[in-house]
Amino acid sequence: MKVVATYNIKGGVGKTSAAVNIAALAAADGLRTVLWDLDPQAAATFLFRVRAKVRGGGRKLVRGRTDVTDLLRGTDIEGLDLLPADFSYRHMDLVLDGAGRRTRRMGRVLDPLAEHYDLAILDCPPSISLVSESVFDAADALLVPLIPSTLTVRTFEQLSAFVEDEVEDPPEVVAFFSMVDGRKRLHREVVERLSTDRDDVAAAAIPAATEVELMGVERAPVVVHAPRSRAARAYRALWAEVRSRLGI
Amino acid sequence: MPLDVPARAFALPEGVDPGALVSFLGERFDLAVDPPERTDHTVLDTADRRLRAAGAELRLHTHRGEPTMALAGRPGAPPLTATVRRRPRWLAGDLPEGPLRDRIAPAIGVRALLPLARVRGEVRPARVLNRDDKTVVRLRLATHAAVVEGGEVPLTPRLEVAGVLGYRRPFERLVSVLTTEAGLVEAPGSVADEAIAAAGGDPDGVPSKVRVPLRPDQRTDEAAVAVLRALAGVVEANLPGTLDDLDTEFLHDLRVAVRRSRSVLREMKRAFPPGPLRRQRDALRWVQAVTGPTRDLDVQLLEWDDLVATLPEDRQAALAPVRALLERRRRDAHRALRRELTGEAYGAAWGGYRRFLDGDLGPDDERPDAAAPVVAVAGRRIRKVYRRMVAMGEAVDAGSPATALHELRKRGKELRYLLELFGGLWPGDEARDMVRALKALQDVLGTHQDREVQADALRALAPDLAGVEGGPDALLALGAVVERLGTEQRAARERFADRFAEFASPSRQALVAETFRP
């Protein structure tokens, strides 16, 4: 099982949108896919019409006292299951802080899922914390949405350096541009320059689009509720790149 | 542990309108009906249905003009697909690298994926929703037909119901409504099985083994003939695949069935008239002989990659001409096999053998075991062959020639076939336990013998290699392969003593004498 985490220290940059769309596309390709909503805000869980409740809460889950397969819920998307969010995840850092081998904990939760799934997608909460460090340890790839600006690129570089230096077996870190407004010259220039110049920036860029915003209303990923839209095409291109990088 | 995704398939009784069923369910559940989907696909599996045994279902269809394989996922999940090249059959190596191949290859092993039936039809998907409009059960109303020569054969219309992970209760409620209120019953087998049967095939696949129910008090000749007929069926079922060279296992299974038949004729010889028996044993020996060279080369080629894998890379590369030569010889050998097995001699020999099995075996007086209960004769033979093996094995020491182990292996095969074909006559697990201990011994003896045969066969390639490009390098590398075979043969011999000790332990000897006593 490959593990991909959508991560950014900032919120509202398109992590959950990327996670749910990529998960839906992977499942449609026949890959057995699970999405773990790690964000206590539970946006992905809401989107899939699943109750944001994990029996025993985050503590028991992370400490291995809950059978993770009992918590899984099938979504409306065939082949895609969800490990729902829980409001107790807001204390996940404290739970991890008190646990031994804390950076291995997320990986341990995922271990029993490996025989059932080809791909796990982790939708991370915005922050840099013990949770994110444990996610970095478990992931094969970090997918980092960036809003096109010079500053966000600098943050991405800091993240890449951190992962490279601090994680024992570092995941591949791949950025992609998100919420790209084609009318803004700065957006156009940054996207064009960086996605051409840098190997760790995906060529696919997700536009700022109404369809993406409508996901919460439709309660379905863009690739499902507006499959012909520009945003859906962009997510498909992004998934193709991710899939090829992961070799799955 | 598999994930808890329940699934059931129900047959729609004749005359029931699928639309009426949808309305019936719509009155009881919040049902979302999705647009219908057309399907036109070919069922793929190995001849012995390995995918079905592994719980997998593989289809071939055309997607955007490209032949595409689709491996069904768990109930309610989309299939895993891969574009493939159009071929009459696919070995695992013919599939494109990727998850589909990764999942199929372990299940099919060396067998080929073959088109077993073609299916056309329509599927009407629907979903049961909960209060949040979330899908909690998936349904598929399917009307299929098998495409056969000259038309289509309708298959049982079915309603497939799949649960959604974590939502078992609505699934159970729906199933309860379907079985109690609508009176639906479980569908008979899968669409694939039904289509294969409709196309004239056997849904259980081409057989490789036989299981003939015998009674302990049955006459030995009757019991032996029943087993031999079943084995002849295996030979006949595997012949077309052998001739068409679909994969190596058709020939393997054909040869094993012939070898088992010869064993039954030998072990139960006193149940048959001597003259005709001799002719039939000669006929089967001839079949074995004409198919032997191809099988020997199959073994060489199947084991080739593992054999050379431990050599340094340059040596492996130098061996390419050897592999090419083996492949060429294999093609030639199969051509010769095909000529023999489609020729008059085979037709006459096999026809004669079938008549022998179907005809009158003559009076009992020249067949002393004919009327004896099969349990007595088979038990006597099992005890005798086992005792003989114990004696032969005890005589083996460090100075014994390789032929001593080879002879022991041959006896071991006899014993194994007796136990497998007639072991069911005895209650309890003794026959099965013996087969297990025997297999462990036979593995060692087999490795010992096979490595010698392989080494001899490779040495025999030397004259032909000398003249080809890269030949001298290949010969040098071949030396390393032969050396490795020698090492493996010696290692097998070292393992022999332990395995034999287990097989011939005093407690087992006592148990064999007790279990199979007259």
Side-chain angles (χ1 to χ4, degrees), chain A residues 27 74-76 78 81 116 118, chain B residues 1 74 78 103 134-135 165:
Chain A
T75 70
D76 284 11
E78 295 182 350
D81 296 331
H116 304 296
D118 302 306
Chain B
M1 270 258 293
R74 72 171 196 222
R103 234 176 283 164
K134 185 191 180 313
T135 303
L165 189 60

Side-chain angles (χ1 to χ4, degrees), chain A residues 121-140:
Chain A
I121 294 180
L122 277 44
D123 184 21
C124 299
S127 72
I128 183 137
S129 60
L130 284 175
V131 175
S132 27
E133 280 186 54
S134 191
V135 165
F136 298 165
D137 186 81
D140 296 291

Side-chain angles (χ1 to χ4, degrees), chain B residues 73 180 189 225 315 424 445 463 482 498 517:
Chain B
T180 54
V225 164
R315 287 270 172 97
L445 294 171
V482 171
D498 283 349
R517 74 176 189 277

Side-chain angles (χ1 to χ4, degrees), chain A residues 27-32 48-50 69 72-79 81 115-118 219 243 248, chain B residues 1-3 74 76-81 99 103 127 129-130 132-136 138 140 164-167:
Chain A
D29 278 358
L31 296 181
R32 297 166 301 173
F48 288 122
R49 301 170 199 267
V50 174
T69 58
L72 296 168
R73 295 288 176 267
T75 70
D76 284 11
I77 294 167
E78 295 182 350
D81 296 331
E115 63 172 304
H116 304 296
Y117 296 98
D118 302 306
R219 296 184 82 172
R243 188 168 186 178
I248 54 174
Chain B
M1 270 258 293
L3 296 173
R74 72 171 196 222
L80 184 62
T81 58
R103 234 176 283 164
R127 292 168 290 127
L129 307 176
N130 68 6
D132 295 327
D133 280 345
K134 185 191 180 313
T135 303
V136 287
R138 293 190 169 92
R140 289 161 59 85
V164 171
L165 189 60
Y167 299 87

Side-chain angles (χ1 to χ4, degrees), chain B residues 501-512:
Chain B
E502 197 196 326
F503 172 75
S505 67
S507 60
R508 186 174 298 282
Q509 290 193 39
L511 200 58
V512 170

